Coordinates of all heavy atoms in Angstrom, one line a residue:
A136 N 99.8 106.3 127.2 CA 99.4 106.7 125.9 C 98.1 106.1 125.5 O 97.3 106.8 124.8 CB 100.5 106.3 124.9
T137 N 97.8 104.9 125.9 CA 96.6 104.2 125.3 C 95.6 103.8 126.4 O 94.5 103.5 126.1 CB 97.0 102.9 124.6 OG1 97.4 101.9 125.5 CG2 98.1 103.2 123.5
G138 N 96.0 103.8 127.7 CA 95.2 103.3 128.7 C 95.0 101.7 128.7 O 94.3 101.1 129.4
G139 N 95.7 101.1 127.7 CA 95.6 99.7 127.5 C 96.8 98.9 128.2 O 97.6 99.5 128.9
E140 N 96.8 97.7 127.9 CA 97.8 96.8 128.4 C 99.0 96.6 127.4 O 98.8 96.7 126.2 CB 97.2 95.4 128.7 CG 96.1 95.4 129.7 CD 96.6 95.8 131.1 OE1 97.7 95.4 131.5 OE2 95.8 96.6 131.8
V141 N 100.1 96.2 127.9 CA 101.3 95.9 127.1 C 101.1 94.6 126.5 O 100.7 93.6 127.2 CB 102.6 96.0 127.9 CG1 103.7 95.5 127.1 CG2 102.8 97.4 128.5
T142 N 101.3 94.5 125.2 CA 101.3 93.2 124.5 C 102.6 92.9 123.9 O 103.3 93.9 123.5 CB 100.2 93.1 123.4 OG1 100.2 91.8 122.8 CG2 100.3 94.2 122.4
G143 N 103.0 91.7 123.9 CA 104.3 91.3 123.3 C 104.1 90.8 121.9 O 105.1 90.2 121.3
N144 N 102.9 90.9 121.3 CA 102.6 90.3 120.0 C 102.7 91.4 118.9 O 102.1 92.4 119.0 CB 101.3 89.7 120.0 CG 101.2 88.6 121.1 OD1 102.1 87.8 121.3 ND2 100.0 88.5 121.7
G145 N 103.3 91.0 117.8 CA 103.3 91.8 116.6 C 102.3 91.2 115.6 O 101.5 90.4 116.0
L146 N 102.4 91.6 114.4 CA 101.5 91.1 113.3 C 101.8 89.7 112.8 O 101.0 89.1 112.1 CB 101.5 92.1 112.2 CG 100.9 93.5 112.5 CD1 101.1 94.5 111.3 CD2 99.5 93.4 112.9
G147 N 103.0 89.3 113.0 CA 103.4 87.9 112.6 C 103.6 87.9 111.0 O 103.4 86.8 110.4
L148 N 104.0 89.0 110.4 CA 104.2 89.0 109.0 C 105.6 88.5 108.6 O 105.8 88.1 107.4 CB 104.0 90.4 108.4 CG 102.6 91.0 108.7 CD1 102.6 92.4 108.2 CD2 101.6 90.1 107.9
V149 N 106.5 88.5 109.5 CA 107.9 88.0 109.3 C 108.3 87.1 110.4 O 107.9 87.3 111.5 CB 108.9 89.1 109.1 CG1 108.6 89.9 107.8 CG2 109.0 90.0 110.3
D150 N 109.2 86.1 110.1 CA 109.6 85.2 111.1 C 111.0 85.5 111.6 O 111.8 84.6 111.8 CB 109.6 83.7 110.5 CG 108.2 83.3 110.2 OD1 107.3 83.6 110.9 OD2 108.1 82.5 109.2
L151 N 111.2 86.8 111.8 CA 112.5 87.2 112.4 C 112.3 88.5 113.1 O 111.2 89.1 113.1 CB 113.5 87.4 111.3 CG 113.2 88.2 110.0 CD1 113.2 89.7 110.3 CD2 114.1 87.9 108.9
A152 N 113.3 89.0 113.8 CA 113.2 90.3 114.5 C 114.0 91.3 113.8 O 115.1 91.0 113.2 CB 113.8 90.1 115.9
F153 N 113.5 92.6 113.9 CA 114.3 93.7 113.3 C 115.0 94.5 114.3 O 114.5 94.6 115.5 CB 113.3 94.6 112.5 CG 112.7 94.1 111.3 CD1 111.3 93.9 111.2 CD2 113.5 93.7 110.2 CE1 110.8 93.4 110.0 CE2 112.9 93.1 109.1 CZ 111.6 93.0 109.0
V154 N 116.2 95.0 114.0 CA 116.9 95.9 114.8 C 117.0 97.2 114.0 O 117.9 97.3 113.2 CB 118.3 95.3 115.2 CG1 119.0 96.3 116.1 CG2 118.2 94.0 115.9
P155 N 116.1 98.1 114.2 CA 116.1 99.3 113.4 C 117.1 100.4 113.9 O 117.6 100.3 115.0 CB 114.6 99.8 113.6 CG 114.3 99.4 114.9 CD 114.9 98.1 115.1
H156 N 117.4 101.3 113.0 CA 118.3 102.4 113.3 C 119.6 101.9 113.8 O 120.3 102.5 114.7 CB 117.7 103.3 114.4 CG 116.3 103.8 114.1 ND1 116.0 104.6 113.1 CD2 115.2 103.6 114.8 CE1 114.7 104.9 113.1 NE2 114.2 104.3 114.1

Side-chain angles (χ1 to χ4, degrees):
T137 73
E140 298 296 321
V141 175
T142 178
N144 300 322
L146 296 173
L148 299 175
V149 294
D150 295 324
L151 49 78
F153 292 119
V154 181
H156 308 297

